[in-house]
Amino acid sequence: MNTQSPPASEVQVVLTDCSATDAGHLFAALSRRFECDREDSDSPAETPTAWTATFDTAAVCPPASGASVPLSGPVTAEVQGSPHAVRELEDALADVFTVHEVGSVSGDQEVEVELRLEPRG
């Protein structure tokens, strides 16, 4: 009998090194694929140095074909969650951005991955 619980589907995303506009565009792109703890009208404020949101990768919407997401430059994203959920979120990001994995830390049941996201040219 398998007593292991299913992997957690939530991924926390922390964005840094970007403008509030870029954070808003990135969160909007992810919200089109996954349920989010942020409301659509909840746009990032200009003052923070980091923006956070939690996405539920169990609630997946199909990708928008050819979706283009404007960014003024590279964005650093730290994503944390179960390995499966993080992989789902990374795949969704790769549909609209050029994604470079900068580093990662693995724990028993969670991983934390630092990504550099760049607009597709």
Side-chain angles (χ1 to χ4, degrees), residues 25-26 29 69-71 92-99 117-120:
H25 288 309
L26 199 137
V69 177
L71 292 178
L93 288 170
D95 286 344
V96 291
F97 302 106
T98 300
V99 178
L117 309 172
E118 298 175 354
R120 290 214 169 142

Side-chain angles (χ1 to χ4, degrees), residues 6-64:
S9 60
E10 290 190 346
V11 178
Q12 182 178 25
V13 178
V14 179
L15 304 177
T16 58
D17 299 331
C18 69
S19 68
T21 300
D22 284 348
H25 288 309
L26 199 137
F27 286 155
L30 287 173
S31 292
R32 287 191 289 274
R33 291 287 300 273
F34 308 110
E35 285 186 8
C36 181
D37 66 342
R38 298 176 72 97
E39 298 293 326
D40 289 341
S41 60
D42 183 15
S43 60
E46 282 295 333
T47 54
T49 56
W51 294 270
T52 64
T54 302
F55 295 91
D56 185 352
T57 61
V60 179
C61 299

Side-chain angles (χ1 to χ4, degrees), residues 88-104:
E88 289 283 323
L89 190 112
E90 280 187 76
D91 289 346
L93 288 170
D95 286 344
V96 291
F97 302 106
T98 300
V99 178
H100 303 281
E101 188 171 310
V102 178
S104 66

